[in-house]
Amino acid sequence: MTYLLGSHHVTLSVGHAQEDVDFHTKVLGMRFIKKTVLYDGAKPIYHLYYSNANGDPSSVVTTFPWAQAGVYGTRGTNQAREVLLAVPSGSLDYWEKRLKEHGVQAASTEVFGTRRIELLHPSGIEYVLVGTEADPRIGYTGFGVPQEHAIHGIFGVGIHVFDQDRMVEFANHVFFANGEIEETADVARFRVGSQEYGNWVELRGDRTDAQGTWRYGAGTYHHFAWNLDTLENQEAVKFDIEGAGYTDISELKDRTYFKSHYVRTPGGALFELAVTHADGGWDCDESPEELGTNFMLPPQFESERKSIMSQLEPINDPS
């Protein structure tokens, strides 16, 4: 029997590296846990990782800063759009005040009966802080954010789609949707994997915006990763998805910290099937205390370290 545990991480194409580091750490108070490079293509691009206190699967936001290379994307329909992050339900007044103090415009909204704070990443990507109850994940207490307000991790992903029905069909038939589809106004949502936390897919009907770009490009959401427990289960899930006719799915890719397949969904969003394998994990190349302090390269790039570093913008690490 194949199954999926829940969310694993979010990956975004953002603007410049320094503004991205400052936003996730000094504004959102997240932990900086990894500084490496994009493994695909010939152009050196940072790959930066942020998390809650423990770096749990379901808590990690990763970014590719593409502005240095002059590559920009377009937000639109048939594309993942909103980064949904879970915060303690009693902390939203705190977050409104903190964002204002950091010069970040924010708006309080309510969706599915739950209060939220909407804001923008410096590159324009839409972020949403969602108030949640009884989330066992532990927020990071750095950068002045106290424990009672710190971000727990991922709440889910917001996807803009021309046709919501095709994504619901995909979810029900091959992608582990749990329970009924909930609807409000122009948003439908379902939960994937564990119902404990971090696993909502929200579909916003969008027939107004043009098609969003799927390639790498600053200002756009690249993919949402789901957590599989073993490589055997991961391969079985891939086999089932292909067998249902969704054959736009990649071969296995080794990302050092996890191994992954990628599948393009009928709603346009790119989903990743990720496994933190036996030789992986955030601390496979750094000690837990050192996470994020060193510039890490996979073995195949190590001989090019000097050249790669010379082509990347310097980053002042948060402190």
Side-chain angles (χ1 to χ4, degrees):
M1 178 180 178
T2 59
Y3 55 93
L4 185 152
L5 299 178
S7 56
H8 191 278
H9 68 269
V10 172
T11 295
L12 315 167
S13 294
V14 299
H16 288 282
Q18 189 65 61
E19 68 180 13
D20 183 69
V21 170
D22 291 346
F23 173 75
H24 284 103
T25 59
K26 296 179 181 179
V27 177
L28 295 186
M30 299 183 76
R31 184 183 181 189
F32 191 26
I33 62 167
K34 193 66 64 178
K35 179 169 57 176
T36 182
V37 290
L38 172 63
Y39 289 11
D40 301 325
K43 191 183 296 292
I45 298 293
Y46 279 121
H47 195 176
L48 309 175
Y49 291 67
Y50 313 92
S51 77
N52 66 3
N54 297 324
D56 300 317
S58 83
S59 78
V60 178
V61 176
T62 90
T63 63
F64 303 129
W66 274 98
Q68 179 182 334
V71 179
Y72 294 83
T74 301
R75 291 182 296 279
T77 195
N78 290 338
Q79 182 190 61
R81 287 275 294 266
E82 287 91 19
V83 180
L84 308 176
L85 298 176
V87 298
S89 58
S91 71
L92 292 173
D93 288 342
Y94 166 87
W95 280 107
E96 277 195 303
K97 180 180 178 182
R98 180 178 174 89
L99 293 168
K100 183 177 181 180
E101 289 172 347
H102 283 83
V104 177
Q105 291 188 337
S108 181
T109 62
E110 185 173 305
V111 181
F112 293 108
T114 301
R115 187 181 168 199
R116 303 173 168 206
I117 303 293
E118 297 179 353
L119 62 145
L120 297 179
H121 183 280
S123 67
I125 296 172
E126 296 119 321
Y127 276 56
V128 184
L129 304 181
V130 185
T132 59
E133 300 281 354
D135 192 321
R137 296 172 294 179
I138 300 172
Y140 185 58
T141 57
F143 310 102
V145 179
Q147 184 67 68
E148 65 268 25
H149 300 314
I151 292 171
H152 291 303
I154 298 166
F155 181 81
V157 54
I159 304 172
H160 286 218
V161 292
F162 187 85
D163 186 343
Q164 292 166 308
D165 290 344
R166 299 289 74 78
M167 273 297 288
V168 170
E169 179 183 58
F170 172 77
N172 282 334
H173 289 175
V174 299
F175 213 76
F176 309 99
N178 288 326
E180 296 294 323
I181 304 298
E182 300 180 36
E183 297 185 58
T184 179
D186 61 344
V187 181
R189 74 174 183 176
F190 56 86
R191 188 170 251 167
V192 175
S194 167
Q195 298 195 33
E196 188 174 20
Y197 54 75
N199 304 314
W200 288 105
V201 175
E202 297 189 353
L203 305 174
R204 187 174 297 275
D206 184 348
R207 298 191 173 191
T208 301
D209 291 339
Q211 168 72 49
T213 51
W214 290 350
R215 61 177 173 81
Y216 293 126
T220 56
Y221 201 127
H222 192 258
H223 64 262
F224 188 90
W226 297 96
N227 189 21
L228 286 299
D229 62 336
T230 67
L231 292 170
E232 292 75 20
N233 185 44
Q234 178 194 49
E235 192 62 29
V237 169
K238 175 181 181 285
F239 186 76
D240 287 349
I241 291 172
E242 288 178 317
Y246 299 99
T247 57
D248 188 3
I249 190 166
S250 77
E251 73 279 7
L252 187 66
K253 295 180 181 290
D254 188 342
R255 304 311 195 187
T256 301
Y257 313 108
F258 43 87
K259 293 183 178 180
S260 301
H261 293 288
Y262 299 83
V263 58
R264 183 68 65 181
T265 69
L270 185 64
F271 282 176
E272 176 179 349
L273 310 175
V275 172
T276 304
H277 55 92
D279 297 323
W282 314 125
D283 58 357
C284 71
D285 55 3
E286 293 180 284
S287 70
E289 296 74 25
E290 291 179 307
L291 291 180
T293 61
N294 301 300
F295 180 49
M296 308 308 301
L297 289 174
Q300 67 267 30
F301 293 163
E302 191 58 55
S303 64
E304 302 175 55
R305 173 177 286 270
K306 186 174 180 180
S307 174
I308 289 171
M309 293 184 69
S310 71
Q311 298 177 66
L312 294 170
E313 298 174 319
I315 296 176
N316 295 318
D317 292 340
S319 58

